[in-house]
Amino acid sequence: GAVVSQHPSRVICKSGTSVKIECRSLDFQATTMFWYRQFPKQSLMLMATSNEGSKATYEQGVEKDKFLINHASLTLSTLTVTSAHPEDSSFYICSARSLLTPSGGFYNEQFFGPGTRLTVL
Amino acid sequence: AQSVTQLDSQVPVFEEAPVELRCNYSSSVSVYLFWYVQYPNQGLQLLLKYLSGSTLVKGINGFEAEFNKSQTSFHLRKPSVHISDTAEYFCAVSDLTGYGGSQGNLIFGKGTKLSVKP
């Protein structure tokens, strides 16, 4: 259980185009989803946190107009990189968390997707 | 606010040797502690976590970690490594400031690259 998928796994696009990345929780309802960015040989940096049905909360320094996040359902969140440029090339990883277990307790764990490698030419 | 320091960016070790990956954290409140492994071009997989209780935590793939509150450390150990353990390892911390007292956001260390040589 607790599987998170991302699509696509790899994308190459031209500068100025927009790219959408999907993050799905396959076997649980994710009340919260997180988007991270990882540059080569570096750690994961949290970009934003999204709760189902509400606006995403962006970390300081992350442009919300450039990185559009939508969390329209309990199993799907999307990250759209608008007008992508070469400096946006990175590895984007999502994670998902469910607040409630079947017995009503909390899941205190984020489950990570496999990541999406974005290359902007 | 919390922070995580992984003291070694790279750890080379020979196969079947023991290994310890060091992690120190700072926080003014109680925390949860995690170790994740990342294989090339893949997402993160949870190795083990400390939430409460016994300070010695056993995880997958033969790894274990010990929570030391006085030293604010959570070092990861394995008594005998395999070639397949070659990967990047991340230590992470979160507090309890999430919704309803659940886990807050994860703060990651910079990672330690473990290279196991034959």
Side-chain angles (χ1 to χ4, degrees):
Chain A
V3 178
V4 177
S5 70
Q6 277 184 246
H7 178 78
S9 58
R10 188 180 293 267
V11 58
I12 301 173
C13 69
K14 293 182 179 180
S15 185
T17 60
S18 294
V19 175
K20 180 184 283 189
I21 302 170
E22 292 186 348
C23 177
R24 293 182 184 273
S25 57
L26 299 183
D27 51 2
F28 68 101
Q29 293 185 324
T31 45
T32 305
M33 285 187 170
F34 305 83
W35 287 96
Y36 295 86
R37 183 173 181 177
Q38 185 180 31
F39 289 106
K41 302 186 187 301
Q42 294 190 29
S43 188
L44 280 73
M45 299 300 296
L46 180 65
M47 298 174 67
T49 303
S50 72
N51 293 299
E52 186 265 339
S54 62
K55 290 184 178 180
T57 301
Y58 289 82
E59 295 299 301
Q60 192 172 9
V62 178
E63 300 176 60
K64 62 180 181 181
D65 294 330
K66 181 168 186 62
F67 298 100
L68 301 178
I69 292 172
N70 183 279
H71 191 168
S73 78
L74 285 171
T75 59
L76 174 64
S77 176
T78 60
L79 167 67
T80 301
V81 183
T82 62
S83 186
H85 292 285
E87 58 265 29
D88 299 323
S89 298
S90 190
F91 194 52
Y92 292 87
I93 303 175
C94 74
S95 70
R97 182 181 72 196
S98 175
L99 279 186
L100 293 176
T101 67
S103 61
F106 290 125
Y107 277 129
N108 276 322
E109 182 175 344
Q110 292 182 31
F111 299 98
F112 286 82
T116 296
R117 172 77 59 194
L118 171 62
T119 303
V120 185
L121 303 176
Chain B
Q2 295 84 41
S3 67
V4 178
T5 302
Q6 290 184 245
L7 297 167
D8 306 298
S9 60
Q10 296 189 57
V11 173
V13 63
F14 287 106
E15 192 174 18
E16 297 184 5
V19 71
E20 178 179 83
L21 306 184
R22 296 180 292 170
C23 173
N24 288 87
Y25 70 94
S26 67
S27 176
S28 58
V29 298
S30 296
V31 295
Y32 293 153
L33 293 157
F34 306 80
W35 274 100
Y36 289 89
V37 60
Q38 184 181 35
Y39 298 101
N41 294 311
Q42 294 187 30
L44 273 67
Q45 181 181 8
L46 180 67
L47 276 178
L48 48 80
K49 60 186 175 184
Y50 171 78
L51 304 181
S52 64
S54 174
T55 57
L56 182 62
V57 180
K58 293 189 183 296
I60 62 172
N61 301 343
F63 285 93
E64 64 179 33
E66 186 156 19
F67 170 59
N68 188 318
K69 188 174 182 179
S70 62
Q71 296 186 6
T72 61
S73 68
F74 191 55
H75 301 332
L76 181 70
R77 302 188 189 97
K78 185 169 183 178
S80 176
V81 295
H82 302 290
I83 298 288
S84 58
D85 292 322
T86 295
E88 189 91 25
Y89 291 80
F90 292 96
C91 181
V93 63
S94 71
D95 58 22
L96 301 178
T97 58
Y99 174 79
S102 64
Q103 175 191 322
N105 292 343
L106 282 168
I107 307 298
F108 287 90
K110 292 188 175 181
T112 297
K113 182 172 176 56
L114 175 64
S115 299
V116 181
K117 304 174 187 296

